[in-house]
């Protein structure tokens, strides 16, 4: 398996040898942020917080990592951030968790690529007295972590579905689905929520086709091109996220269908908001990764002080962003979106 190394930077040159070993052992990208002093420092130095994201390239996870870094610095804590090589790299995430435990972290914040594949590693961490918090994506079962800070992804999908349905009005839907990764928790939740919002069930004849995209723009474009070759009568498209939406729109445009198909998405990145403003797709559902990261860091720091543990699912919110508001649906325009976006 090829190793993924960081470019040589001042920050990477100052990483402790043990942390550099972690980056190599897990084939992940890795950075450490340390702030001297602060109210979270104990007798052994600043509190160490581990962050494991699905990838280090998706702007969503970049924002989550940057927000966790800033929150940790503000609390005088040390953040050790690692990421899978790709969305779905369960093996890399398991190795990262195991190595973070060896690093002596007080808490681990994780966006699971596979909500069941990391359970053993999480249990080992919890057995060591480490606080484990999921960000963005729930584990299965949910109580495999102490708490979850995330978008309610069923709700996010449902909001997208309700908007697309309202756009179609009385016109029967002819739907294509740009899904994520097979077996992914977020992927399934958003898909299910969208169908609920549309008032459809799995296998409904209104669904002309579906394809996995892994949330990747190029894969989504190829998937949409293949589906359109089979049936180009589509009038509505679900997309897992904004990269998938951009890929789908590129394929629709090449087919002469731009502006003729109701396309929705989920993310709320600054590029996505700009896409909606430009009319590339009608709507996106904004998430708030900054809030997830900050609340996760705060939870670990509080735990380090007095053992207080958060619990349950904490919904960090979802907001429709569109410049074409529809009756009965709460939405914000792209001006508001640009002020509150990430990435």
């Amino acid at each position: 398996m090829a190793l993924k190394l960081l470019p040589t930077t001042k920050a990477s040159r100052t990483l402790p040898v043990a942390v550099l070993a972690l980056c190599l052992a897990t084939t992940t990208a890795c950075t450490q942020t340390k702030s001297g002093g602060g109210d979270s420092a104990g007798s052994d130095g600043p509190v160490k917080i581990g962050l494991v994201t699905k990838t280090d390239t998706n702007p969503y996870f970049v924002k989550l990592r940057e927000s966790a870094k800033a929150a940790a610095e503000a609390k005088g804590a040390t953040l050790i951030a690692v990421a899978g090589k790709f969305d779905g790299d369960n093996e890399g995430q398991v190795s990262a968790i195991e190595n973070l435990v060896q690093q002596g972290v007080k808490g681990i914040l994780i966006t699971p690529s596979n909500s069941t594949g990391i359970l053993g590693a999480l249990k080992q961490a919890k057995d060591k007295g480490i606080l484990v918090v999921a960000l963005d994506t729930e584990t299965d079962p949910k109580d495999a972590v102490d708490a979850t800070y995330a978008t309610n992804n069923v709700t996010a999908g449902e909001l997208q579905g309700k908007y697309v349905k309202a756009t179609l009005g009385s016109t029967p839907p002819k739907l294509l689905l740009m899904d994520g990764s097979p077996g992914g928790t977020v992927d399934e939740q958003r898909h299910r929520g969208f169908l609920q919002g549309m008032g459809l069930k799995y296998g409904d004849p209104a669904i002309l086709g579906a394809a996995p995209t892994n949330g990747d723009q190029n894969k989504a474009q190829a998937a949409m091109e293949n589906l359109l070759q089979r049936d180009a009568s589509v009038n509505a498209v679900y997309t897992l996220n904004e990269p998938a939406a951009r890929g789908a729109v590129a394929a629709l445009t090449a087919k002469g269908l731009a502006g003729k198909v109701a396309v929705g998405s989920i993310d709320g990145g600054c590029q996505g908001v700009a896409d909606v403003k430009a009319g590339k797709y009608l709507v996106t559902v904004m998430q708030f990764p900054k809030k997830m990261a900050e609340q996760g860091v705060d939870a670990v720091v509080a735990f380090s002080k007095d053992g207080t543990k958060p619990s349950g699912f904490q919904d960090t919110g979802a907001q429709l962003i569109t410049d074409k508001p529809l009756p009965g649906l709460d939405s914000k325009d792209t001006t508001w979106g640009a002020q509150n976006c990430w990435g």
Side-chain angles (χ1 to χ4, degrees), residues 34-343:
K34 184 174 181 179
S35 176
D39 59 6
S40 67
S43 58
D44 296 325
V47 172
K48 293 181 181 179
I49 303 172
L51 173 66
V52 185
T53 52
K54 295 179 184 180
T55 73
D56 64 347
T57 55
N58 186 313
Y60 180 84
F61 296 116
V62 171
K63 180 62 177 180
L64 193 148
R65 183 178 69 242
E66 290 175 347
S67 299
K69 171 183 174 181
E73 287 180 336
K75 296 287 184 178
T78 295
L79 183 76
I80 304 173
V82 291
K85 292 173 61 182
F86 53 87
D87 194 338
D89 182 15
N90 183 70
E91 180 181 349
Q93 287 201 323
V94 168
S95 296
I97 294 167
E98 292 171 346
N99 279 279
L100 287 170
V101 171
Q102 295 176 8
Q103 290 293 312
V105 297
K106 194 68 176 179
I108 293 175
L109 311 176
I110 182 166
T111 63
S113 284
N114 183 310
S115 293
T116 58
I118 57 168
L119 298 184
L122 294 182
K123 184 179 185 304
Q124 291 176 8
K126 291 177 72 175
D127 288 346
K128 294 286 187 179
I130 296 170
L131 182 73
V132 179
V133 173
L135 304 180
D136 176 71
T137 305
E138 293 178 290
T139 54
D140 184 13
K142 298 177 182 180
D143 61 4
V145 294
D146 294 295
T148 300
Y149 296 93
T151 305
N152 184 322
N153 284 291
V154 175
T155 297
E158 187 173 13
L159 288 173
Q160 184 189 160
K162 285 182 175 179
Y163 186 91
V164 170
K165 180 180 181 181
T167 296
L168 293 176
S170 60
T171 302
K174 295 182 178 180
L175 178 66
L176 291 176
L177 303 169
M178 296 285 96
D179 287 319
S181 302
T185 301
V186 168
D187 314 73
E188 185 279 328
Q189 289 174 339
R190 292 183 182 179
H191 179 113
R192 172 160 47 95
F194 179 85
L195 293 183
Q196 289 174 1
M198 290 287 293
L200 301 175
K201 296 181 178 179
Y202 288 92
D204 193 291
I207 302 172
L208 303 181
T213 69
N214 298 108
D216 179 82
Q217 181 172 338
N218 292 332
K219 290 181 179 179
Q221 181 172 346
M224 179 60 72
E225 288 170 350
N226 290 334
L227 290 172
L228 290 174
Q229 287 178 0
R230 292 172 8 204
D231 192 334
S233 65
V234 57
N235 62 10
V237 172
Y238 156 80
T239 66
L240 169 82
N241 63 6
E242 289 164 357
R246 286 190 281 276
V249 167
L252 290 167
T253 301
K255 198 73 172 179
L257 295 173
K260 301 177 183 179
V261 179
V263 181
S265 197
I266 300 172
D267 265 347
C270 294
Q271 181 59 56
V273 173
D275 289 342
V276 172
K277 184 175 182 178
K280 294 183 179 180
Y281 38 98
L282 294 174
V283 67
T284 192
V285 182
M286 181 173 283
Q287 303 181 89
F288 301 94
K290 181 174 183 287
K291 184 184 296 185
M292 298 175 198
E294 290 174 345
Q295 292 181 357
V297 168
D298 288 348
V300 176
V301 172
F303 174 68
S304 73
K305 289 181 177 179
D306 57 20
T308 301
K309 284 187 175 183
S311 62
F313 181 89
Q314 309 294 324
D315 187 356
T316 52
Q319 178 64 58
L320 280 172
I321 305 294
T322 183
D323 286 330
K324 297 180 179 180
L326 295 172
L329 294 173
D330 175 46
S331 65
K332 302 289 187 182
D333 63 19
T334 56
T335 298
W336 187 94
Q339 294 169 348
N340 292 273
C341 65
W342 46 265

